[in-house]
Amino acid sequence: MNIEPTERRSELIAANPLLSRYSPLPRILCFDNFDEGVNGWCELIGNHDGNLDRVRPVQGDMRPPQLSTCTFFDIGTHGVVTGNYALKLQTRPKPGHMALAIKRLTFARPGIVQLETYFTFKSEAWHGTRREAGSFDGNIDPSLSDFGDFCISNDLSDGRRRAHCCVRYSNTNARGELVQKWQVKTSVQTTTKMEMRGDAPVAYDYHVRDPDDWVDVPDGGQTFCYNEIPTKINWHYLRWQFDTRSLRNVVMQVNDKVLDLTGLDVPRYPEGYYLGLSNMLNLSLDVRTHRPVRNFIFFDSILTSVDW
């Protein structure tokens, strides 16, 4: 009996317990199993001329990703969905601080790119009495409001056009109020060149020109399984697609929530990038705190696939 290549591929994926929980596009570009290391995810640092003192403040302290066994003071080692190690991003306990990891790739052909992962996020657990007012009712811990936001984004360029597709989950706003919705940005990211030329003000939000340059995704409200206290973690499935031909978001799925992003504009840079950025396909993950509390996001594994 002859087996078609697509059928054989489906059977091989289904038989692999690490891959069978994902739904990859026809070609798997990379599978990042963090039991095997960081797989190319590194800290983003801003452009400089060899003098690190000239790195812009907004990019000067984004902290490197770490491998973590998800160990907490009350239970010990938690581990991940399958295996021991997650990729962890953590902020400093400083309002507005962001930690960002980037994976630098290029694309061999324009098309759809899909990133899938299992993730969880938490604010840092208090050991002992909380340092501020807040009551625990046995179900919802005040630490839910200590977590700020996280983003899944990219940096795309075909040597002419450049854009950053970005989707943000805002758990709280800058005032610490619960928001719990998905958002996209409405302005381009300020580059080092733009800031040095005086084309843009000094950036205080890495992703946008002004911190208010975000809009809500229609029907984008979503709550997650926080599971009562900051040392209980539950893993969530995420699938994000974008198109390197049109430089646009396509879809964001988190658990059973599916958001069509095709009708939402992605800001583009008005000038071309002819040197150094051809076929650029950079993937980024970040987490930000709005309070003097460290925020964490963990990724069990990440599978990136394409339709070419």
Side-chain angles (χ1 to χ4, degrees), residues 17 21-23 40 53 78 87 104 116 153-154 167 186 209 232-233 264 273 279 299 305:
R21 52 188 159 152
Y22 291 117
S23 301
D53 291 334
H78 185 290
L87 188 75
R104 304 182 187 277
E116 295 176 274
S153 62
N154 62 31
V167 190
T186 60
R209 182 185 179 98
K232 292 181 179 179
I233 59 176
L264 301 176
Y273 284 78
N279 292 46
F299 300 91
S305 57

Side-chain angles (χ1 to χ4, degrees), residues 151-165:
C151 290
I152 311 291
S153 62
N154 62 31
D155 190 354
L156 303 176
S157 175
D158 58 9
R160 299 177 295 107
R161 305 168 302 159
R162 185 183 184 186
H164 292 78
C165 302

Side-chain angles (χ1 to χ4, degrees), residues 223-238:
T223 58
F224 288 99
C225 183
Y226 188 77
N227 205 343
E228 304 169 318
I229 64 174
T231 57
K232 292 181 179 179
I233 59 176
N234 290 73
W235 297 93
H236 308 276
Y237 171 72
L238 181 148

Side-chain angles (χ1 to χ4, degrees), residues 75-303:
I75 67 163
T77 297
H78 185 290
V80 295
V81 177
T82 301
N84 296 311
Y85 289 96
L87 188 75
K88 178 180 77 171
L89 294 177
Q90 64 179 25
T91 71
R92 292 191 184 278
K94 177 182 176 182
H97 187 266
M98 171 188 286
L100 184 147
I102 187 168
K103 183 161 185 167
R104 304 182 187 277
L105 303 167
T106 55
F107 57 86
R109 188 181 304 167
I112 301 295
V113 180
Q114 177 174 276
L115 183 152
E116 295 176 274
T117 187
Y118 284 82
F119 75 96
T120 189
F121 62 88
K122 287 289 181 177
S123 58
E124 187 167 27
W126 297 118
H127 185 195
T129 304
R130 287 180 60 93
R131 288 179 281 179
E132 57 193 36
S135 61
F136 171 58
D137 67 0
N139 175 235
I140 299 298
D141 190 87
S143 63
L144 174 61
S145 296
D146 286 340
F147 187 86
D149 57 60
F150 68 86
C151 290
I152 311 291
S153 62
N154 62 31
D155 190 354
L156 303 176
S157 175
D158 58 9
R160 299 177 295 107
R161 305 168 302 159
R162 185 183 184 186
H164 292 78
C165 302
C166 178
V167 190
R168 176 174 82 170
Y169 181 75
S170 180
N171 182 62
T172 60
N173 59 26
R175 297 182 296 277
E177 301 163 337
L178 282 176
V179 175
Q180 297 186 313
K181 62 178 64 173
W182 291 97
Q183 300 175 320
V184 294
K185 63 182 196 166
T186 60
S187 65
V188 296
Q189 179 192 110
T190 300
T191 66
T192 302
K193 184 176 182 179
M194 291 166 62
E195 202 167 282
M196 290 179 65
R197 287 192 315 199
D199 294 343
V202 174
Y204 294 99
D205 187 318
Y206 166 75
H207 288 290
V208 290
R209 182 185 179 98
D210 183 274
D212 292 328
D213 291 346
W214 296 89
V215 295
D216 298 342
V217 174
D219 191 33
Q222 185 171 16
T223 58
F224 288 99
C225 183
Y226 188 77
N227 205 343
E228 304 169 318
I229 64 174
T231 57
K232 292 181 179 179
I233 59 176
N234 290 73
W235 297 93
H236 308 276
Y237 171 72
L238 181 148
R239 178 176 66 93
W240 174 48
Q241 284 188 1
F242 57 89
D243 191 341
T244 64
R245 292 165 299 199
S246 61
L247 306 187
R248 298 178 73 88
N249 292 301
V250 177
V251 68
M252 173 67 82
Q253 176 183 354
V254 183
N255 293 337
D256 58 346
K257 184 80 169 181
V258 181
L259 300 172
D260 181 358
L261 306 176
T262 54
L264 301 176
D265 289 336
V266 173
R268 294 187 190 176
Y269 290 92
E271 62 180 308
Y273 284 78
Y274 301 102
L275 296 176
L277 301 184
S278 297
N279 292 46
M280 184 168 66
L281 172 58
N282 291 345
L283 304 172
S284 298
L285 312 164
D286 68 70
V287 60
R288 179 172 58 171
T289 183
H290 297 306
R291 298 172 62 83
V293 180
R294 290 198 301 172
N295 281 191
F296 306 95
I297 190 166
F298 303 87
F299 300 91
D300 164 76
S301 57
I302 299 174
L303 188 148

Side-chain angles (χ1 to χ4, degrees), residues 5-22:
T6 54
E7 183 180 347
R8 184 183 298 274
R9 176 182 182 275
S10 298
E11 291 177 352
L12 290 173
I13 290 174
N16 185 329
L18 293 178
L19 297 179
S20 61
R21 52 188 159 152
Y22 291 117

